[in-house]
Amino acid sequence: MPSVSMKGISKYYGASSILANDCADLLVRDGEIHAIVGENGAGKSTLMKILYGLERPDSGRINLGGREVHVRSPAEAALLGIGMVQQHAEIVDEFSAAENVVLCAEPRRFGFVLDRRAARARFAGLAADNGFSLDPDALGSGLSVGERQELEILKLLYRKAQVLVLDEPTAVLAEEEVFSLFATLRRLAASGRTIIIITHKVREVRAIADSVTVMRHGKTLSRLAAGDVGEEELATLMMGGQSFAPALRTPRRPRPEDVSVVFEAQDLRYVLRGAARPAVDGVSFSLRRGEVLGICALAGNGLAELEDLATGFRRPSSGRVLLDGRRLPRRRGKAIGYVPQDRLRRGASLHSSVQENLAALDRDAFFPHGIRSVHRMVSFAEAAIRGYDIAATPEQRLGSLSGGSIQKVILARELNGNADFLVFSNPTWGLDIASTEFVYERILAARERGAAILLVSSSLDEVLALSDRVGVMSRGRLAGIEENGPTLDRAHLGKAMLGAGHAVDSRRAHAGRGLAMGRKP
Amino acid sequence: MKDLSVLCGDALGLMTPLLLAAIGGLFTELAGMLNIALEGLITIGAFAAAAAVHAVSASPHFPAAGNGAAAVIALVAGSLAGGMVALGYGIGSQRLKANEFVAGLATNLLATGIVVALADRLLGNKGVVSLAIPGLARPLERTLGNMPFLGELLFRQDILTYASWFLVIVASFVITKSTFGLRLRASGSNPGALATLGRNPKRYRLVAVVLSGLACGLAGAALTVSLSAYVPDMSAGRGWIALVAIYLGGKKAGGVLAACFVFAFAESLSNYAQGVLRVPSDFILALPYAITLAALIGGAAWKRLRGGQIR
Amino acid sequence: MKAPARAALTARLLGFGVAIVGAALLAILLLWGLSSSFSASLELFFLGPFRNAWYFGNMLAEASVLVLAGLGAAVAFGSRNFNLGGEGQVYAGAIAAAAILLGLPTASPPLGIGLALLGSALAGAALAWFSGRLKLSLGVDELISSFLASAIFVYLGGFLISGPLQDPSSNFQSTASIAPAFRLARLFPPSNLSTAAFASLFALGLAMFLSKRTRLGFEFGLVGRNAEFARYAGIDTGFYVTAPMALSGALYGLAGAFLLLGTQYKAMKGFTSGIGWSGIAVALVAGNSPSAILPSALLFAYLDTGAKAVMIGSDVTGDIVSVIQATVFFLVTARAADGLFGTRASRLRAGGKKAR
């Protein structure tokens, strides 16, 4: 019953009249899983926000189940049975899972008292009906990223949503969690719900969708059956001409002059205050000149803590971190180039200008005798803008730049000192294909000049595409590091990431068949 | 033993305004606001209570002084005035995009200024003004007040004190059990969760601000009523102490109650010390702040210790 | 390219204008309601500060103290340390200066004044540094701890003035006057404007140079805008908690000292009251930017002087000024606050759609 059709949707933004949607059309049949693909800024999110009532279109019509509807707010969308899962799950950490689900539509007694028992019962029923195994009493703060997303879906189901929109749901998930999500989506579609999923990963389209709409520059280009279209073809449609497929780089054999060890982690342990088990547990590895070591892990398995330990942001509870044979300095200097996962907070000062961001690391050079050298600052900024192709001026506030440009500013700053040791954490998270390719080139160029590079990433694809050696982490422990290459067993790595006896094992095991997906030619 | 029961009994009486303010502030705290305007709201409440009683007793239609209605008028006027000013503060900080902290400071400055400016006009005097407010009823004194220990401790309190305890229970119930409380806490913890469900978190904040204003206004009025007089700078830092009590009480009604009692006990002790020891009055006046600061530091240190070693 | 910056400046000036017009309207309204001779008091309020040398000079004298207090607040706020203890720190500075000068009545003026300034700066700095240290080592909210420490000191200072430092020959609660040799020269008699104004201008110039041209100011700004980023860039963020707090306290202390040396000559109970809060208002209206401190301080001094003129010349109490100042303060910051304090935090707190 709930088919969705959007016709001639246009949406202008602000005074600059950016055309976010340009006569976009969308048709999704009932019970179908439909993918909307496109590069960053192609207008996918805007189109879906219009459907969900977060944005109002400047023109166009929406039909739901053959009836024209006007969606003026998310509340109205909910009444029409449309629900949307945003990229970042909006969970109240202090609340139980059941409380999170019933929030704002609570079962009550006497009109104003929250009926907790009814809330739990409704939650349990809903979870059982749809194959979720979430505990209704689990606190929001204790949920993994994947579980938070499941909770968001439960919220929508509780509100009787028949059309579910998911905005890049896999962007925040690790590989294993993606399979679980896809299994959930298939069940929901089988029970008659219509599902729309926004993505820019072409591989996912073939893995999950029945049909697909490609968007570029605010326009909808074509509607295709997912089975009829190849990955290459989709990528070409999205990019408009140039095709892109993440190539597997051949690993490097270290040259004789490169074998000196630059960075060493010795039996690192890190115990968070009040935590029952260590977040990082007995991790050791060493890193030589001119190689990339990639470490991959699911969220919550110690990857973020490892990133902090390797860069000196946190001190290990025990063990040693050595750079050129010495302990890390208390404060990071130019000897470490570091592109953090949390770019917007840790990696950038959004309220400062581009040139100030670029000058923030090597302050000795830009402030001779403690006095600002305007000339050096501006000329470095101009050089960086040219060299990294950043769409900005030196004086522009960094916060006004796009995500890809911000990452380029960070790269320009961190690679400038030609540091021997570089740390990249999820360096292409949320970037479009062109920016991703640019970041990859820079990482490999740094490897060529002989830097020792630690790449931590929750994307196995990324780690496999860039690394000379690969390791995976599970529950804070690092599984054996292996040489990357065509013979590397991807499924084996996936299993290692889940770790033996992991609490979510039983639930995710059935999704294991999807592991082959990544290797599809 | 006897001294202790008197001391604690006094403390319970002194606790009333502090507790009312802290419970009001608890709502804004849970809604995710740093409400530093509590102090100003108490000031407004104290003044409005005085002004209302002063105006009414000057009127020929009002029966002779000594009527219990004066206290009721004072409490209602104080509470309403606090609520109204808080509404302005809430609209300023939530709707007009003023920073909460700045708006809170402005509210405090405004309260101080407006009260002094109007005192001259409405009370005819910038200094201490005595008011015709009879003491509040002490409903249990006659029947239970002579019980050993407990009598002095619990049963000689006035009706407003009992009412404030009742309000703590009501507040606790609203916060933990009601759907409003659930949404209020969500607005503080993750406003985005409410927003994506189509609810405006600012609306819950605004309600919380107004509740805090009503409670702080009532607290100020309680000060006026308990002294039967208006004294400049009547709040004397109680808003700030209430803020600390909310933190130390772990943002839970019961904890806030306990923290308020500790501060009130300190005040009662310093009153006692003033009578017995010949300590300069400046020290006595500084004591509540000193104890609050000590409690703040001690609480933080304890939290650090209990949390184990860091880094 | 600089369009966004220009738009922001325009919005800011517009906000300033709205605030001043709003405050003027409020002043008119208040005078209309409170005064029996409306037009006379209206004229006193708006033109009084320019009517004669006494009012005009006093306005500038007040502005010069507010510049120091405003800088004190801006130093703390600009690095995201909320020093609310200005009241106590001004008081501490003034009392320290008085104690030093009364203790050394025969010292040579440069030495005495130098020691007094040093002592007042140290006294204010110590009081504020304490809160910064607590924040750093125990995570105690400096906003509340600085307020409490300052409130405690206000009473302790009162005790010192009416106890150990009390002038035995006076009936007022005040210290004796400092020796005439220590009093700063008056520039514009009979007004209070003294050479202290030069010290304020010097401090202002120094602050502008430091913030715009030096590494110290650059790092300071980075910490203030995003402390995690500053730490990531290898800046000692702990230093930028205690140092700005101490500097903030020192500036407040100096404001107290110059009030003593240039205007009052003796410390009286409660004589600095309000300067701490006014300093905060001056800094916030100026957006914590040193270059905007002077106009902001002048604005507040003008309002205060106008109110004094009304108080002296008519039947209206001068306390209306705090109502008007609070309104200015609120109206300006209501529009500007978004840029001053982390927009990110306020956006998160404000809820609604998260920026993508």
Side-chain angles (χ1 to χ4, degrees):
Chain A
M1 78 182 183
S3 67
V4 177
S5 117
M6 300 175 80
K7 279 229 167 65
I9 304 282
S10 291
K11 171 76 187 171
Y12 293 90
Y13 271 123
S16 48
S17 351
I18 295 166
L19 198 52
N21 279 165
D22 184 2
C23 264
D25 297 324
L26 181 75
L27 175 66
V28 184
R29 303 207 175 85
D30 56 342
E32 189 178 53
I33 301 181
H34 186 84
I36 303 179
V37 297
E39 286 271 60
N40 284 349
K44 312 178 295 266
S45 292
T46 305
L47 191 64
M48 286 303 99
K49 280 179 180 168
I50 288 170
L51 179 62
Y52 187 52
L54 280 168
E55 303 279 359
R56 306 283 296 275
D58 293 313
S59 67
R61 280 189 327 216
I62 304 174
N63 279 292
L64 192 67
R67 204 162 52 86
E68 177 159 4
V69 292
H70 298 274
V71 194
R72 280 173 287 256
S73 70
E76 285 192 25
L79 287 177
L80 292 166
I82 303 170
M84 183 160 171
V85 177
Q86 307 281 348
Q87 248 183 54
H88 297 276
E90 296 285 9
I91 304 295
V92 182
D93 281 348
E94 288 86 349
F95 288 1
S96 73
E99 282 171 337
N100 265 299
V101 163
V102 300
L103 182 64
C104 291
E106 305 89 349
R108 318 158 167 234
R109 286 177 291 151
F110 317 116
F112 63 96
V113 181
L114 170 67
D115 188 345
R116 284 205 163 78
R117 194 189 301 176
R120 291 182 82 256
R122 302 266 295 270
F123 182 97
L126 211 52
D129 289 350
N130 295 287
F132 293 93
S133 58
L134 279 171
D135 175 4
D137 296 324
L139 277 187
S141 54
L143 300 179
S144 72
V145 183
E147 287 168 331
R148 289 166 86 87
Q149 204 170 51
E150 289 185 357
L151 200 51
E152 284 286 339
I153 295 173
L154 273 178
K155 272 193 202 175
L156 301 183
L157 298 179
Y158 176 75
R159 286 165 174 76
K160 308 225 184 318
Q162 293 298 315
V163 178
L164 275 73
V165 183
L166 296 98
D167 187 359
E168 303 207 6
T170 59
V172 290
L173 297 184
E175 201 138 344
E176 301 304 319
E177 292 172 316
V178 171
F179 306 133
S180 166
L181 171 73
F182 284 179
T184 303
L185 294 184
R186 284 195 198 96
R187 274 196 303 274
L188 293 176
S191 65
R193 293 181 180 89
T194 302
I195 289 163
I196 305 174
I197 160 171
I198 301 177
T199 181
H200 57 223
K201 298 182 185 160
V202 286
R203 179 182 298 148
E204 284 172 1
V205 173
R206 286 169 57 90
I208 182 73
D210 302 315
S211 57
V212 54
T213 295
V214 182
M215 288 191 78
R216 196 167 76 219
H217 302 315
K219 292 189 174 69
T220 44
L221 296 181
S222 43
R223 185 183 192 280
L224 305 159
D228 296 349
V229 58
E231 281 178 32
E232 290 274 336
E233 193 186 336
L234 266 182
T236 314
L237 278 170
M238 280 165 64
M239 301 275 294
Q242 346 139 352
S243 82
F244 172 83
L248 185 73
R249 270 83 178 178
T250 43
R252 261 180 59 139
R253 300 270 148 246
R255 290 190 294 252
E257 69 267 25
D258 283 349
V259 291
S260 66
V261 168
V262 174
F263 178 88
E264 207 170 348
Q266 295 177 342
D267 198 22
L268 292 183
R269 258 172 71 87
Y270 181 76
V271 189
L272 206 64
R273 212 146 45 105
R277 60 183 182 83
V280 173
D281 193 1
V283 168
S284 301
F285 58 88
S286 63
L287 204 53
R288 289 162 300 180
R289 287 182 60 79
E291 73 163 346
V292 178
L293 170 63
I295 298 183
C296 188
L298 301 174
N301 279 283
L303 206 57
E305 288 80 4
L306 183 67
E307 169 187 344
D308 287 359
L309 293 174
T311 51
F313 229 82
R314 298 188 210 208
R315 300 271 140 189
S317 308
S318 68
R320 296 202 299 173
V321 186
L322 300 177
L323 182 63
D324 288 326
R326 284 190 297 274
R327 278 174 187 265
L328 285 184
R330 257 182 61 77
R331 300 202 299 273
R332 183 169 77 100
K334 287 179 292 174
I336 305 176
Y338 171 26
V339 177
Q341 157 152 11
D342 187 354
R343 288 168 216 153
L344 300 187
R345 232 160 69 81
R346 183 175 290 180
S349 176
L350 298 179
H351 294 293
S352 304
S353 65
V354 169
Q355 58 172 335
E356 285 179 323
N357 270 279
L358 286 166
L361 185 62
D362 194 2
R363 297 183 300 284
D364 291 335
F366 294 103
F367 292 87
H369 312 295
I371 305 294
R372 176 189 293 236
S373 162
V374 177
H375 168 72
R376 282 189 206 175
M377 244 189 203
V378 173
S379 59
F380 177 59
E382 282 170 349
I385 285 169
R386 249 179 287 116
Y388 283 79
D389 194 21
I390 301 166
T393 62
E395 285 84 17
Q396 202 171 338
R397 211 171 55 86
L398 193 75
S400 65
L401 270 56
S402 73
S405 296
I406 289 176
Q407 184 71 329
K408 283 179 180 174
V409 170
I410 297 174
L411 282 174
R413 179 185 62 223
E414 298 301 322
L415 297 177
N416 173 46
N418 287 331
D420 280 342
F421 176 50
L422 298 171
V423 178
F424 294 89
S425 178
N426 283 310
T428 61
W429 198 88
L431 299 188
D432 60 22
I433 293 177
S435 304
T436 299
E437 181 68 348
F438 183 88
V439 172
Y440 285 1
E441 275 167 20
R442 291 290 163 158
I443 293 176
L444 293 169
R447 180 183 75 166
E448 284 313 308
R449 71 162 168 80
I453 297 171
L454 177 64
L455 168 71
V456 297
S457 174
S458 50
S459 156
L460 196 52
D461 279 344
E462 182 160 287
V463 166
L464 290 175
L466 294 172
S467 308
D468 303 308
R469 290 186 297 147
V470 177
V472 294
M473 271 178 91
S474 163
R475 306 196 91 199
R477 300 188 146 272
L478 180 63
I481 295 172
E482 295 176 53
E483 294 284 331
N484 192 10
T487 55
L488 192 65
D489 184 354
R490 193 189 167 99
H492 172 71
L493 282 180
K495 278 200 192 97
M497 277 166 79
L498 281 174
H502 195 288
V504 293
D505 249 12
S506 54
R507 191 151 54 81
R508 297 229 167 86
H510 69 273
R513 66 191 158 82
L515 277 170
M517 180 188 83
R519 303 300 279 176
K520 239 182 216 172
Chain B
M1 195 65 187
K2 174 123 179 127
D3 283 349
L4 185 68
S5 65
V6 172
L7 219 50
C8 289
D10 283 352
L12 288 177
L14 290 168
M15 180 174 76
T16 305
L18 194 59
L19 184 62
L20 287 169
I23 287 297
L26 182 59
F27 280 96
T28 43
E29 184 66 37
L30 289 173
M33 299 177 69
L34 176 63
N35 189 348
I36 59 167
L38 297 179
E39 178 78 5
L41 295 172
I42 298 174
T43 304
I44 291 283
F47 175 76
V53 171
H54 189 78
V56 167
S57 31
S59 140
H61 306 295
F62 191 67
N67 193 316
V72 175
I73 289 171
L75 293 173
V76 170
S79 187
L80 286 181
M84 269 160 57
V85 172
L87 183 65
Y89 162 56
I91 289 175
S93 63
Q94 301 301 322
R95 302 261 171 214
L96 301 181
K97 295 209 322 186
N99 179 283
E100 277 162 25
F101 172 72
V102 174
L105 273 184
T107 305
N108 286 341
L109 291 177
L110 195 72
T112 323
I114 224 160
V115 160
V116 181
L118 291 179
D120 207 20
R121 259 291 129 143
L122 300 182
L123 302 178
N125 183 346
K126 277 199 217 174
V128 177
V129 179
S130 71
L131 299 161
I133 308 174
L136 288 169
R138 298 176 187 276
L140 302 179
E141 189 172 28
R142 195 170 297 167
T143 47
L144 298 168
N146 289 326
M147 273 173 74
F149 193 75
L150 286 182
E152 264 139 4
L153 184 65
L154 290 177
F155 300 125
R156 296 190 187 172
Q157 307 297 341
D158 63 40
I159 190 161
L160 188 61
T161 296
Y162 296 129
S164 73
W165 298 351
F166 179 68
L167 281 180
V168 173
I169 296 168
V170 171
S172 175
F173 182 84
V174 167
I175 288 165
T176 57
K177 305 279 185 207
S178 76
T179 54
F180 169 76
L182 192 75
R183 296 172 190 188
L184 181 81
R185 284 182 289 141
S187 77
S189 174
N190 185 357
L194 284 181
T196 53
L197 294 172
R199 301 283 172 152
N200 188 350
K202 291 181 182 179
R203 195 164 297 163
Y204 292 96
R205 296 226 175 113
L206 199 57
V207 174
V209 175
V210 172
L211 284 176
S212 80
L214 291 171
C216 286
L218 195 61
L223 288 169
T224 303
V225 167
S226 69
L227 284 180
S228 296
Y230 177 74
V231 184
D233 189 26
M234 198 126 175
S235 175
R238 281 186 178 78
W240 296 94
I241 297 173
L243 205 54
V244 175
I246 295 167
Y247 284 119
L248 291 179
K251 304 185 187 178
K252 294 199 169 65
V256 171
L257 178 70
C260 284
F261 180 74
V262 171
F263 292 135
F265 186 76
E267 192 182 348
S268 140
L269 203 62
S270 71
N271 288 347
Y272 175 77
Q274 198 168 16
V276 179
L277 315 162
R278 300 202 147 269
V279 187
S281 65
D282 283 313
F283 286 157
I284 301 296
L285 289 168
L287 199 62
Y289 294 104
I291 289 172
T292 310
L293 182 59
L296 193 64
I297 297 170
W302 190 64
K303 224 180 250 172
R304 262 298 129 106
L305 271 180
R306 203 183 44 168
Q309 142 262 9
I310 49 150
R311 253 181 246 181
Chain C
M1 63 177 225
K2 288 183 180 166
R6 203 174 303 135
L9 186 70
T10 319
R12 189 169 178 77
L13 287 176
L14 197 72
F16 217 87
V18 168
I20 289 172
V21 171
L25 288 176
L26 182 77
I28 293 168
L29 199 73
L30 280 173
L31 292 173
W32 179 70
L34 294 172
S35 173
S36 50
S37 52
F38 174 55
S39 60
S41 47
L42 202 63
E43 193 194 333
L44 277 172
F45 183 81
F46 285 106
L47 300 178
F50 305 108
R51 189 174 260 187
N52 57 40
W54 192 71
Y55 279 130
F56 188 69
N58 279 358
M59 176 174 81
L60 296 183
E62 190 177 339
S64 81
V65 173
L66 285 181
V67 162
L68 286 175
L71 278 177
V75 161
F77 289 5
S79 58
R80 251 167 230 254
N81 293 290
F82 293 91
N83 179 6
L84 286 199
E87 290 288 332
Q89 290 150 21
V90 174
Y91 211 37
I95 291 170
I100 289 167
L101 293 176
L102 292 173
L104 303 167
T106 54
S108 75
L111 178 72
I113 291 174
L115 281 178
L117 292 180
L118 186 69
S120 64
L122 283 178
L127 203 51
W129 173 86
F130 170 69
S131 296
R133 192 63 241 175
L134 278 179
K135 176 188 185 179
L136 207 57
S137 47
L138 287 178
V140 174
D141 193 344
E142 82 284 9
L143 185 138
I144 293 175
S145 79
S146 63
F147 172 81
L148 291 171
S150 144
I152 293 168
F153 190 83
V154 167
Y155 292 113
L156 283 183
F159 164 74
L160 289 175
I161 288 173
S162 60
L165 297 174
Q166 165 82 37
D167 176 8
S169 64
S170 163
N171 290 327
F172 292 107
Q173 292 188 318
S174 90
T175 66
S177 294
I178 56 173
F182 297 134
R183 300 177 187 177
L184 297 177
R186 294 259 155 117
L187 296 175
F188 208 33
S191 82
N192 292 328
L193 185 65
S194 71
T195 47
F198 297 125
S200 295
L201 289 178
F202 175 73
L204 199 58
L206 190 66
M208 281 164 73
F209 174 75
L210 285 174
S211 73
K212 293 245 185 287
R213 309 286 302 176
T214 67
R215 176 173 178 161
L216 196 73
F218 179 67
E219 294 185 348
F220 178 90
L222 289 183
V223 175
R225 287 189 281 259
N226 179 351
E228 173 151 1
F229 174 72
R231 193 172 154 226
Y232 156 85
I235 294 168
D236 179 358
T237 47
F239 172 78
Y240 286 98
V241 172
T242 48
M245 282 300 273
L247 187 58
S248 163
L251 284 161
Y252 273 125
L254 286 173
F258 281 113
L259 189 68
L260 183 92
L261 293 168
T263 307
Q264 302 283 358
Y265 305 142
K266 58 183 173 184
M268 291 159 283
K269 216 169 185 176
F271 82 125
T272 60
S273 93
I275 292 178
W277 295 116
S278 301
I280 291 175
V282 166
L284 289 173
V285 167
N288 299 330
S289 142
S291 49
I293 292 276
L294 187 61
S296 172
L298 282 170
L299 173 67
F300 277 88
Y302 165 69
L303 292 173
D304 207 32
T305 311
K308 279 193 184 118
V310 168
M311 182 168 67
I312 293 170
S314 80
D315 58 343
V316 178
T317 162
D319 296 295
I320 56 161
V321 69
S322 40
V323 181
I324 296 167
Q325 284 181 346
T327 312
V328 175
F329 178 40
F330 183 76
L331 288 176
V332 169
T333 49
R335 300 185 148 237
D338 226 10
L340 298 188
F341 297 83
T343 350
R344 186 189 174 80
S346 59
R347 195 183 299 145
L348 282 180
R349 285 192 147 197
K353 291 166 271 178
K354 270 185 188 157
R356 283 281 321 273

